[in-house]
Amino acid sequence: MSKYLMIDFGSTFTKLTAVDTEKEDIIGTSSHFTTVATDITIGYHNALKALYNKIGQVKFDKIISCSSAAGGLKMCAIGLIEELTVEAAKRVCLGAGAKVDLVYSHHINRHEVERIVEEKIDIILLAGGTDGGNSECVIHNATMLGKAGITIPIIYAGNKSCVDEIEDIFNEYHLNGYVCENVMPQINVLNIPSAREKIREIFLKNIIVAKGIKKIEDEIDKVILPTPEAVLNACNLLSKGYMHEAGLGELVALDIGGATTDVYSMCPASAKRADVIVKGLEEPYAKRTVEGDLGMRYSALGVLKALTPEEIRMIKEDENVDMEKELLMRHNNVDVVYKDDDYEENVDLLIGGVCADKGMGRHVGKLEELYSPMGTIYTQTGKDLTQIEYVIGTGGILVNSKNPVKIMSKVTGDRSKYLELRPLNPRYLLDADYIFAAMGLLSQEDPLLALKIMKKHLKEVSLK
């Protein structure tokens, strides 16, 4: 029997989860503010000390971790046509646990290349052209990156017919380039695994060094995943089940953090109504979107920008809260946690609700009305989540809230959003012990145990 320690080096907090395989359960958790800006080991050691105070001095057989510290894995997706290869490239990045900070289509220019450097992008995914299709555009874009002397890792995942030319450009300009399979070998056909594995390889080899996480390498066995990919794996496992252990079926998970709001949906992409025609790229069963401008602390100013003047006015009238003032204060004090102040907790609930509403609005599929001689018909872009049974909440604001459903319920639909295919009448579950990322890590070692623990620790909650 073994004891595992799973570590999530988050953007705001470093979270530890200890598991005993003989007991088939969690034996302790702890957390501390992430200290990646100074020395990441400080926050880890403080969290470890707190864990030992709870469970005693334990020798762990394996210590594995994931990370979204220092801004997480930041990527730039470059493609040919925005609705096709650009979208395919974005999905690869998101499925690999990255945050897509920049998206470019067609021929990139010098200013766009300069912005890639300015934004401190970690990896560039260069796509474009189906196999045997357009090659001129990706060759131009690779050349532009080369002329700029880009040192950022570049993954080429475009038209296979010009791989030789791309490799020649990589060599000529001494670029840190990698080649993998085309993300869209045929129109509307996605090929994600090859590029996703290459992203993970670069993350493990290069990015953890750049983020300062290598300092902890001697004390743990390995950093194996970006945190969002670990959570995606946990959600997929919980949905589908494993071997004889049933999963929960179709679900949505909402993860609101200090820097981002991630939405995960586990369900097929097919239309749920006979009068609807699905268009666009086929959606994956396990889908993730991340909103880098929606967060409780680091991205608080993004929340402010996402609110309309009318919404700010309504919150002021209904809740007597000045959102501009409160969001600015949280942006300037990212480590503040409110535990005993009812007013400040209510403000955090309001901010979390905005993150949930706006995040789901960007994730969910949408209908468009079309009028024909046969009457009104609808086209669907994205996933129909109307019949989702479970909405699961995770992330600090939800886990620590006295009323998490006040935030989680904002993902549902109402009459004003009837063209958005949001969950209509879901049940609400809470990742009360904040273990999803840890279970995504554990699933790499023992998926059956990870599934059993998640099902045991999920807590059903209702609106207070």
Side-chain angles (χ1 to χ4, degrees), residues 132-405:
N134 181 288
S135 59
E136 182 271 333
C137 184
V138 289
I139 290 173
H140 164 86
N141 289 341
T143 302
M144 289 295 293
L145 295 172
K147 288 181 177 179
I150 289 287
T151 58
I152 301 164
I154 303 168
I155 298 173
Y156 176 68
N159 181 2
K160 73 172 186 178
S161 300
C162 54
V163 165
D164 291 345
E165 290 90 336
I166 295 295
E167 288 182 333
D168 288 343
I169 293 169
F170 286 168
N171 291 330
E172 178 183 354
Y173 293 101
H174 307 290
L175 298 176
N176 186 10
Y178 304 80
V179 173
C180 61
E181 296 173 12
N182 194 348
V183 296
M184 184 178 286
Q186 302 173 46
I187 293 290
N188 286 336
V189 175
L190 287 178
N191 176 29
I192 288 177
S194 176
R196 184 175 58 201
E197 287 305 310
K198 188 60 68 174
I199 293 169
R200 181 184 297 178
E201 176 188 318
I202 295 170
F203 171 78
L204 296 177
K205 187 187 298 183
N206 298 357
I207 306 306
I208 62 171
V209 177
K211 301 292 186 183
I213 301 167
K214 193 172 179 63
K215 295 177 182 177
I216 204 79
E217 200 171 55
D218 292 338
E219 301 185 47
I220 65 177
D221 290 294
K222 53 185 174 180
V223 179
I224 62 172
L225 294 172
T227 298
E229 187 179 358
V231 176
L232 181 67
N233 290 345
C235 292
N236 201 21
L237 176 64
L238 181 63
S239 172
K240 294 180 176 178
Y242 186 78
M243 297 175 62
H244 59 274
E245 187 74 24
L248 298 184
E250 299 182 3
L251 59 86
V252 162
L254 175 68
D255 185 357
I256 302 176
T260 68
T261 293
D262 292 34
V263 181
Y264 304 81
S265 59
M266 308 292 128
C267 68
S270 55
K272 303 292 194 298
R273 292 167 37 176
D275 62 342
V276 169
I277 301 170
V278 179
K279 69 175 184 179
L281 281 179
E282 182 179 355
E283 297 278 350
Y285 181 91
K287 177 181 178 179
R288 167 186 174 249
T289 53
V290 57
E291 308 307 330
D293 62 333
L294 301 177
M296 299 300 300
R297 296 295 183 265
Y298 289 99
S299 301
L301 296 185
V303 176
L304 182 60
K305 290 181 181 178
L307 287 167
T308 65
E310 177 65 13
E311 288 172 324
I312 293 173
R313 184 184 67 79
M314 290 296 293
I315 293 172
K316 176 68 173 176
E317 289 184 3
D318 295 343
E319 302 286 346
N320 195 28
V321 172
D322 184 340
M323 288 295 274
E324 294 187 52
K325 172 187 170 185
E326 297 295 344
L327 287 164
L328 179 61
M329 189 272 292
R330 282 159 174 77
H331 176 265
N332 293 334
N333 300 275
V334 297
D335 58 344
V336 66
V337 176
Y338 301 108
K339 292 185 177 180
D340 302 310
D341 188 313
D342 290 340
Y343 171 79
E344 296 295 356
E345 282 190 29
N346 183 55
V347 173
D348 271 353
L349 286 174
L350 291 171
I351 297 170
V354 174
C355 292
D357 177 35
K358 305 294 184 182
M360 176 55 78
R362 299 174 190 178
H363 177 97
V364 74
K366 296 172 179 62
L367 295 179
E368 181 181 356
E369 293 178 314
L370 298 176
Y371 301 99
S372 73
M374 302 298 292
T376 303
I377 60 173
Y378 297 88
T379 60
Q380 172 185 323
T381 304
K383 299 174 80 171
D384 185 345
L385 306 182
T386 54
Q387 297 176 31
I388 288 290
E389 183 171 0
Y390 295 104
V391 171
I392 301 173
T394 187
I397 180 58
L398 292 169
V399 171
N400 297 308
S401 174
K402 296 174 183 175
N403 192 9
V405 178

Side-chain angles (χ1 to χ4, degrees), residues 95-107:
K99 184 171 68 170
V100 186
D101 280 23
L102 295 175
V103 178
Y104 296 130
S105 59
H106 304 293
H107 296 71

